[in-house]
Amino acid sequence: MAVVYGMAKNLNGHSDVESARGKGTRFKLFLPVVEHVKEISQSTDMAQVEIPGGNETILVVEDEEMLMDILVTSLKQKDTTS
């Protein structure tokens, strides 16, 4: 939770937590609206659009082992194709 809080703060956002005994806990993450978005022309094949990458660190949180394996494999493949 501390990582999520830090990321939200770095993006000028905030988080909110609601908790009730017997009901559970709800986390809300508020991020600012992006004002400028780079448009991709409709004639561009989305499969050919290169997503820029560098030396980012990605936190993957998934409680389903099969989905976690798929996500990790996909990210590792992206890393080796760059």
Side-chain angles (χ1 to χ4, degrees), residues 48-66:
Q48 295 178 356
V49 174
E50 179 61 31
I51 299 171
N55 53 358
E56 298 88 354
T57 299
I58 300 174
L59 172 65
V60 178
V61 179
E62 177 55 62
D63 59 351
E64 293 289 331
E65 188 173 347
M66 187 171 77

Side-chain angles (χ1 to χ4, degrees), residues 17-61:
V17 178
E18 298 173 10
S19 186
R21 177 173 272 170
K23 298 283 185 178
T25 303
R26 179 185 302 185
F27 296 92
K28 295 180 182 178
L29 184 60
F30 299 90
L31 300 174
V33 174
V34 176
E35 294 185 22
H36 302 286
V37 177
K38 182 180 176 183
E39 277 192 38
I40 299 174
S41 70
Q42 291 183 358
S43 63
T44 303
D45 182 5
M46 292 305 291
Q48 295 178 356
V49 174
E50 179 61 31
I51 299 171
N55 53 358
E56 298 88 354
T57 299
I58 300 174
L59 172 65
V60 178
V61 179

Side-chain angles (χ1 to χ4, degrees), residues 54 74-82:
S74 297
L75 290 168
K76 285 181 179 178
Q77 286 175 348
K78 170 60 181 159
D79 184 47
T80 59
T81 60
S82 300

